[in-house]
Amino acid sequence: PEVYTLHHSRDFSFKLQYYVSDCLGVKYVGYIMAAFSIVDSLVAYISGQLGKKIGHVPIICFGAVLSGFLFLYLLMWKREADELVLFMVPCLFGVADAIWITQMNTVYGILFFTDQEAAFSNFRLWISAGFTITFAYSNAVTMPTKLTVLGALLIGGVFLYVVVEILSKKKSKTEMKTIQ
């Protein structure tokens, strides 16, 4: 999931430029970024609180499904000046972004309880690496290619997340048997 997260945030600005600037003009970019940021902030708080009640797994699953839907929608969408769509899609990306960031921090905190400093440093390292990689290839590939790469990273990240959850559950059960 961190591989997906590291590409997701940086690539959002390129998606915004590609879709909004061409359809509505540059004057709307700031408003749409503000809407994205407000939704991202609110959902970060809500998903954190919700995670305490229902756990992080269902929230991450929702974030994965939402992200996948958004990538498919953008791949199929014909760019047009529809203000509602051009505000709703970034807001939904704000929901997905908030879920990924808050819940991945939760997962890291749980998995690396005894070595959190190294774990969170590693997490931030990979996010920064993603910014750099995305910036490096941003002008060399088309938006559909970028969306396809992000979709592949999403699928790979979710698969690896499931593997980590399964291994974590097995380890917990083994430790519980040892204690008894």
Side-chain angles (χ1 to χ4, degrees):
E2 70 186 34
V3 174
Y4 167 73
T5 303
L6 58 89
H7 274 76
H8 179 66
S9 298
R10 172 70 178 133
D11 208 50
F12 176 74
S13 63
F14 295 115
K15 288 184 207 82
L16 190 64
Q17 177 183 356
Y18 179 78
Y19 290 101
V20 176
S21 295
D22 290 351
C23 295
L24 297 177
V26 176
K27 67 181 180 179
Y28 279 89
V29 171
Y31 296 120
I32 292 175
M33 281 300 289
F36 166 83
S37 299
I38 291 168
V39 170
D40 198 317
S41 299
L42 291 172
V43 173
Y45 176 77
I46 293 167
S47 70
Q49 297 302 312
L50 193 58
K52 292 177 185 176
K53 293 185 181 1
I54 65 171
H56 61 272
V57 175
I59 298 171
I60 290 173
C61 291
F62 174 74
V65 169
L66 178 60
S67 295
F69 168 77
L70 289 168
F71 293 145
L72 289 174
Y73 181 80
L74 289 177
L75 280 169
M76 295 185 299
W77 184 54
K78 304 296 180 213
R79 291 188 297 167
E80 54 191 43
D82 184 349
E83 287 183 28
L84 180 62
V85 170
L86 289 167
F87 271 91
M88 288 304 298
V89 169
C91 286
L92 290 172
F93 268 112
V95 171
D97 183 62
I99 287 171
W100 284 113
I101 295 298
T102 58
Q103 298 309 309
M104 285 301 106
N105 278 311
T106 300
V107 169
Y108 269 65
I110 293 168
L111 292 176
F112 302 102
F113 184 73
T114 59
D115 199 11
Q116 289 187 355
E117 185 176 335
F120 287 109
S121 295
N122 187 33
F123 181 65
R124 295 304 305 167
L125 170 78
W126 283 105
I127 289 177
S128 298
F131 288 151
T132 304
I133 292 166
T134 306
F135 181 75
Y137 76 70
S138 65
N139 292 328
V141 296
T142 64
M143 185 56 65
T145 303
K146 291 176 189 176
L147 290 170
T148 304
V149 167
L150 278 170
L153 288 171
L154 174 66
I155 291 167
V158 169
F159 172 75
L160 293 173
Y161 168 72
V162 169
V163 169
V164 166
E165 282 292 331
I166 291 169
L167 293 174
S168 176
K169 296 286 187 227
K170 284 183 181 179
K171 183 179 178 184
S172 294
K173 287 180 182 178
T174 304
E175 289 174 355
M176 291 300 288
K177 286 180 183 178
T178 305
I179 293 172
Q180 294 174 353

